[in-house]
């Protein structure tokens, strides 16, 4: 089923508790540079993935924070494993540049700059490519409730090459870009900026959840609640 763009854009506010959800989500987004808020936010977005799989009309709430923290922690592990290579490349690139400066190694300004930018560009490309697969792993974990499901390469491969997932994935990315543009334009009002980013994340996660369910042929996606195993 094609995604209704208007429904998708309205989704994060389609609840009687929308103001509370946006407020809590905005606070967690603003504090996501810290570990616990970031983990709680990731746990919530897993709930939104499930909501997308079930094509729920309303966004989930933030009740049961212990479950949010647990699932967010498991999701963080999944993200870190998939993103290890781009993180390693970026760290190696920046670390090598800093080491060269501190030790006085003369590689020349232009070669050094090319190496730095080239390494960061490679890390960014790897992050995007692996990020595409990371979301599939997160969605499969959200669906199955098992950590191992996050690394089911068979599912990742099948969904990644299915247009039923690829198109909603693109919708989600565009929503994130739009949210960050709004945040940038309204940066002089910090509250509005973080709310825009969170709003876009919720809409994007719903789209990704629906795309995953369509690609997997899930008629009624179960809503696992913190049943992951190692």
């Amino acid at each position: 089923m094609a995604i209704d763009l208007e429904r998708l854009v309205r989704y994060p506010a389609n609840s009687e508790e929308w103001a509370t959800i946006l407020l809590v989500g905005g606070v967690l987004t603003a504090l996501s540079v810290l570990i616990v808020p970031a983990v709680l936010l990731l746990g919530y977005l897993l709930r939104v993935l499930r909501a997308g799989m079930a094509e729920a009309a309303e966004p989930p709430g933030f009740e049961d924070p212990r479950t949010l923290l647990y699932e967010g922690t498991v999701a963080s592990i999944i993200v870190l494993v998939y993103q290890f290579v781009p993180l390693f490349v970026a760290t190696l690139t920046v670390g090598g540049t800093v080491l060269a400066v501190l030790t006085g190694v003369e590689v020349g300004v232009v070669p050094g700059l090319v190496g730095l930018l080239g390494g960061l560009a490679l890390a960014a490309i790897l992050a995007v490519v692996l990020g595409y697969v990371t979301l599939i792993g997160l969605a499969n974990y959200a669906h199955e409730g098992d950590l191992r499901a996050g690394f089911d390469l068979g599912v990742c491969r099948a969904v990644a090459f299915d247009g039923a997932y690829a198109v909603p994935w693109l919708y989600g990315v565009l929503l994130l870009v739009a949210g960050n543009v709004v945040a940038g334009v309204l940066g002089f009002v910090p509250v509005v900026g973080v709310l825009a980013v969170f709003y876009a994340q919720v809409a994007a996660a719903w789209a990704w959840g629906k795309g995953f369910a369509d690609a997997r042929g899930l008629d009624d996606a179960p809503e696992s609640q913190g049943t992951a195993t190692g």
Side-chain angles (χ1 to χ4, degrees):
M1 183 186 298
I3 288 183
D4 183 334
L5 184 57
E6 181 178 356
R7 176 188 179 188
L8 182 59
V9 172
R10 292 176 178 271
Y11 170 73
N14 194 28
S15 168
E16 294 182 356
E17 303 295 327
W18 67 270
T20 300
I21 292 172
L22 286 181
L23 178 60
V24 175
V27 171
L28 291 178
T29 300
L31 298 176
S32 59
V33 292
L34 304 176
I35 294 176
V36 173
V39 170
L40 287 171
L41 180 60
L42 188 52
Y44 177 76
L45 293 177
L46 281 178
R47 287 186 180 176
V48 181
L49 282 172
R50 292 194 190 101
M53 293 178 204
E55 294 193 47
E58 299 182 4
F62 281 93
E63 63 276 359
D64 193 4
R66 290 181 63 182
T67 298
L68 287 180
L69 188 61
Y70 173 77
E71 293 195 326
T73 299
V74 176
S76 297
I77 294 172
I78 294 173
V79 172
L80 288 174
V81 171
Y82 278 109
Q83 292 295 316
F84 174 78
V85 172
L87 286 173
F88 178 76
V89 172
T91 301
L92 192 63
T93 299
V94 174
T97 301
V98 172
L99 183 62
V101 172
L102 293 177
T103 57
V105 175
E106 296 185 8
V107 295
V109 175
V110 174
L113 184 60
V114 170
L116 176 63
L117 295 180
L120 293 178
L122 176 60
I125 292 172
L126 289 172
V128 171
V129 173
L130 292 175
Y132 180 80
V133 180
T134 301
L135 288 170
I136 301 173
L138 289 174
N140 202 39
Y141 162 64
H143 173 60
E144 298 289 346
D146 188 326
L147 172 61
R148 290 168 296 186
F151 304 104
D152 189 328
L153 299 184
V155 170
C156 289
R157 187 182 306 109
V159 174
F161 291 100
D162 194 320
Y165 169 76
V167 174
W169 174 82
L170 183 58
Y171 271 93
V173 171
L174 293 176
L175 284 167
L176 289 181
V177 171
N180 280 279
V181 168
V182 172
V185 172
L186 301 178
F188 60 93
V189 187
V191 174
V192 176
V194 295
L195 290 178
V197 171
F198 174 71
Y199 193 101
Q201 288 177 330
V202 173
W206 192 95
W208 294 329
K210 184 184 185 308
F212 176 83
D214 288 346
R216 294 291 292 157
L218 306 178
D219 295 326
D220 185 18
E223 297 193 6
S224 305
Q225 293 295 327
T227 57
T229 59

